[in-house]
Amino acid sequence: MSQRRGPLEATLAFLDFFAAVLRCLVTGPHFWLETLRTMDILMRRCLIPVGLAVAPVGAVIALQGVGVFRMFGVEGLLSSMLATAIFRQYSPALASVMVAAQAGSSIAARIGTMKVRGQIDALAVMSVDPLRYVVVPGFIACLIIAPLLNVLTTALGLVSGWFFAVVLARVDHGAFVDNLYSQVTVTDLWIGLAKCTLFGGAIGLIAGFAGLRTVGGAAGVGRAANSTVVTTIIMILVIDYFISLLLLWLGV
Amino acid sequence: MPEPITAPAIELDGVSKAFGANKVLDDVSLTVRHGSIMVMLGPSGTGKSVLLRCLVGLLRPDAGRVLVYGEDVAALDESRPRDRARLFALRRRFGMLFQDGALFDDMDVGDNVAFPMRMHTDLSEAQIRAKVADKLRRVGLSGVERKAPSELSGGMRKRVAFARAIALEPDIVLCDEPSSGLDPVMSATLDELILELHRTLGMTFIVISHDTAEAKKIADTIGLLASGKLVTYGPAADVFAEGQPALRQFFERSTEGPIRVL
């Protein structure tokens, strides 16, 4: 059952797949219980790794910034930079990257395993559309948990930055809190959330696509999970750059 | 009383399927009577599984018609939404026992068997539990509902998969190599099971096998598929009496004959 699998074929197949998933979203039946279950599993898988990845970043920004800011006597403004960096860039990108690493790989591996063990065919023969039952729940779950995790990582990044700056580097607590929101607005939070939703959805889609195309047993499952993580992380970082560029150009 | 069904369950008409240059099914035509047990024999890699997959529309033949109670599955294109819905509706008439069971790993045995009922019926949880217990009893596995598929032996997994395949009491049950990988006693048990279900529930069985003893024991109709061609097909008694060379070679486990492997 050989198939030519060039990049063009893969792109066309992905667009086809995307259209089919959108069609499933618009028309019923929906498996909400399965969606909730998937969200629960993915949230548990992501929570601690995402936290562990983002917390040091706040501290590192504070660590790097505090010396320079102190040189100019404006260490009270450290929190402004910290908030801007975390709200707009680090938190959405890192939360999405960790969702790609944890949720993306887990979805691709689960669907890939089901594929190579004939369970996807079994679903189809039992008149349960695999797209609706396994792909759409993963897609919706990623779409929702990525921004949720972003809220958490934003908070965690600020707290860890505060801990380093105020507790360890002796920056004044009042100045830190006063200046925290001087440069960021609610728009920045929304932009971060929108980016995460976009990235989360893309992760869910790509993972489902890679999972359903898995061939070649256990090694194939590994390849599907691996290619999902690599593809999505590169995509996130590249698209994130262009979004930042676009937003700067628009002056948002 | 529902009217007795006289139309054939399955009709294949000139079905061909190739993967690249490899012709897996070559102009296969046959009819399966409603309520019969058809066993399709053949060496491994001769398109028996492909034949089953064409019946349920997992694969589309390159040519020919695949009629399931008169409706052509081969004409349905899964990528077209309306055809897809029709195909999923048609599949409700089938139960399928996959070669290695294809049970869902993340569900226990009870949930696996209950799955088709939860998806396609409005039965209450209590009714479903009762039906699951009944189906598991039929396959001789009472009380294993809470076990994970990974805790079971290969033979038990296959029987659970069997219970799942008959959960909705479908018109047609497809069995892909029910005896492969099982010891002789377990194979015989599975054969008895097919006969028992056939007797009590009146389902049509289409069994893919390379086990000649199994074919002799359960088949009403026997077919032999070799190199994509339907070499012989007909009522079991006639086929055995006819002494078709390929079939004889198959039964005698001989390397000499029309079927060439090396």
Side-chain angles (χ1 to χ4, degrees), chain B residues 165-211:
Chain B
I166 59 167
L168 292 175
E169 304 192 357
D171 294 316
I172 306 170
V173 182
L174 307 176
C175 306
D176 194 355
E177 305 264 5
S179 56
S180 79
L182 300 184
D183 64 76
V185 177
M186 185 54 76
S187 309
T189 313
L190 228 62
D191 293 343
E192 293 290 344
L193 198 62
I194 292 175
L195 287 171
E196 168 73 17
L197 289 169
H198 179 250
R199 196 163 52 237
T200 53
L201 300 174
M203 298 159 174
T204 307
F205 280 84
I206 296 177
V207 180
I208 297 295
S209 180
H210 54 242
D211 181 344

Side-chain angles (χ1 to χ4, degrees), chain B:
Chain B
M1 264 305 265
E3 263 181 64
I5 300 173
T6 50
I10 303 279
E11 276 180 280
L12 299 190
D13 180 15
V15 172
S16 295
K17 176 79 188 170
F19 295 110
N22 182 16
K23 266 204 156 182
V24 186
L25 293 176
D26 188 0
D27 195 18
V28 173
S29 298
L30 56 84
T31 303
V32 180
R33 200 161 36 80
H34 176 79
S36 66
I37 301 180
M38 189 271 264
V39 177
M40 184 61 78
L41 289 166
S44 29
T46 48
K48 288 176 297 171
S49 291
V50 171
L51 189 75
L52 275 197
R53 299 169 82 81
C54 286
L55 292 182
V56 288
L58 285 175
L59 284 173
R60 268 184 100 188
D62 303 328
R65 298 191 305 157
V66 178
L67 301 179
V68 176
Y69 290 102
E71 187 163 352
D72 190 2
V73 177
L76 299 174
D77 178 358
E78 211 178 341
S79 62
R80 283 211 302 264
R82 187 171 303 160
D83 283 8
R84 194 175 171 90
R86 190 66 215 122
L87 190 61
F88 277 93
L90 254 177
R91 284 178 184 156
R92 300 270 295 272
R93 308 199 75 154
F94 287 99
M96 186 159 175
L97 172 62
F98 284 85
Q99 209 172 110
D100 36 16
L103 296 175
F104 302 122
D105 303 310
D106 52 357
M107 294 180 195
D108 63 22
V109 165
D111 286 339
N112 261 293
V113 179
F115 186 80
M117 298 187 239
R118 294 213 173 107
M119 289 294 144
H120 298 303
T121 68
D122 297 322
L123 298 173
S124 71
E125 211 28 52
Q127 286 170 309
I128 288 178
R129 262 198 293 276
K131 281 193 180 267
V132 167
D134 171 59
K135 294 295 180 288
L136 285 174
R137 187 186 49 75
R138 281 177 190 276
V139 299
L141 284 173
S142 289
V144 299
E145 278 93 337
R146 296 276 76 88
K147 280 201 184 335
S150 57
E151 293 175 75
L152 305 178
S153 71
M156 286 166 91
R157 268 205 296 277
K158 227 165 211 177
R159 282 188 285 162
V160 172
F162 213 146
R164 187 177 70 178
I166 59 167
L168 292 175
E169 304 192 357
D171 294 316
I172 306 170
V173 182
L174 307 176
C175 306
D176 194 355
E177 305 264 5
S179 56
S180 79
L182 300 184
D183 64 76
V185 177
M186 185 54 76
S187 309
T189 313
L190 228 62
D191 293 343
E192 293 290 344
L193 198 62
I194 292 175
L195 287 171
E196 168 73 17
L197 289 169
H198 179 250
R199 196 163 52 237
T200 53
L201 300 174
M203 298 159 174
T204 307
F205 280 84
I206 296 177
V207 180
I208 297 295
S209 180
H210 54 242
D211 181 344
T212 49
E214 176 172 55
K216 265 200 166 130
K217 188 165 166 189
I218 66 174
D220 298 326
T221 311
I222 281 192
L224 176 66
L225 205 59
S227 313
K229 292 252 186 214
L230 191 59
V231 180
T232 186
Y233 187 77
D238 297 359
V239 168
F240 288 128
E242 186 182 292
Q244 212 279 338
L247 192 69
R248 196 177 325 126
Q249 180 192 358
F250 212 71
F251 272 81
E252 288 167 0
R253 305 178 62 140
S254 165
T255 55
E256 304 294 321
I259 302 172
R260 288 272 161 219
V261 179
L262 295 176

Side-chain angles (χ1 to χ4, degrees), chain A residues 20-249:
Chain A
V21 169
L22 286 183
R23 211 162 32 231
C24 291
L25 279 178
V26 179
T27 61
H30 297 285
F31 296 102
W32 297 120
L33 207 66
E34 188 59 20
T35 308
L36 280 178
R37 204 178 68 91
T38 311
M39 271 176 64
D40 177 50
I41 293 171
L42 295 181
M43 203 67 183
R44 283 165 203 266
R45 279 191 69 109
C46 287
L47 208 52
I48 290 172
V50 169
L52 286 177
V54 175
V57 170
V60 163
I61 297 172
L63 173 74
Q64 299 286 349
V66 74
V68 181
F69 277 70
R70 203 164 263 164
M71 224 185 305
F72 292 98
V74 286
E75 61 182 55
L77 288 178
L78 179 63
S79 60
S80 305
M81 185 189 69
L82 183 73
T84 312
I86 285 181
F87 268 81
R88 288 190 82 128
Q89 291 302 338
Y90 284 104
S91 179
L94 270 174
S96 304
V97 164
M98 289 312 282
V99 169
Q102 284 294 87
S105 65
S106 124
I107 291 173
R110 170 166 181 255
I111 299 178
T113 307
M114 291 183 77
K115 176 78 192 302
V116 298
R117 291 205 185 156
Q119 294 164 22
I120 294 290
D121 283 346
L123 275 175
V125 172
M126 287 190 269
S127 304
V128 176
D129 191 335
L131 273 186
R132 293 179 189 281
Y133 188 75
V134 294
V135 175
V136 170
F139 172 65
I140 297 178
C142 283
L143 208 63
I144 293 172
I145 65 165
L148 278 182
L149 284 165
N150 180 45
V151 172
L152 177 95
T153 53
T154 302
L156 212 61
L158 291 180
V159 169
S160 73
W162 170 87
F163 183 80
F164 184 87
V166 174
V167 179
L168 298 181
R170 306 260 168 230
V171 174
D172 180 57
H173 171 74
F176 186 94
V177 174
D178 279 348
N179 290 316
L180 193 56
Y181 297 109
S182 64
Q183 294 296 315
V184 291
T185 58
V186 184
T187 316
D188 292 307
L189 183 65
W190 285 121
I191 288 172
L193 289 176
K195 279 203 288 194
C196 278
T197 313
L198 177 76
F199 295 149
I203 292 164
L205 266 184
I206 292 174
F209 181 69
L212 279 187
R213 277 164 71 93
T214 305
V215 285
V221 175
R223 272 196 302 276
N226 182 257
S227 76
T228 299
V229 174
V230 174
T231 315
T232 48
I233 289 180
I234 293 174
M235 176 207 71
I236 288 165
L237 297 177
V238 172
I239 294 182
D240 192 37
Y241 170 77
F242 284 108
I243 290 178
S244 305
L245 214 60
L246 179 74
L247 292 177
L248 270 179
W249 183 67

Side-chain angles (χ1 to χ4, degrees), chain A residues 3-16 209 213:
Chain A
Q3 221 178 327
R4 272 191 65 82
R5 292 179 168 230
L8 182 69
E9 186 270 344
T11 313
L12 288 177
F14 182 75
L15 291 176
D16 221 29
F209 181 69
R213 277 164 71 93

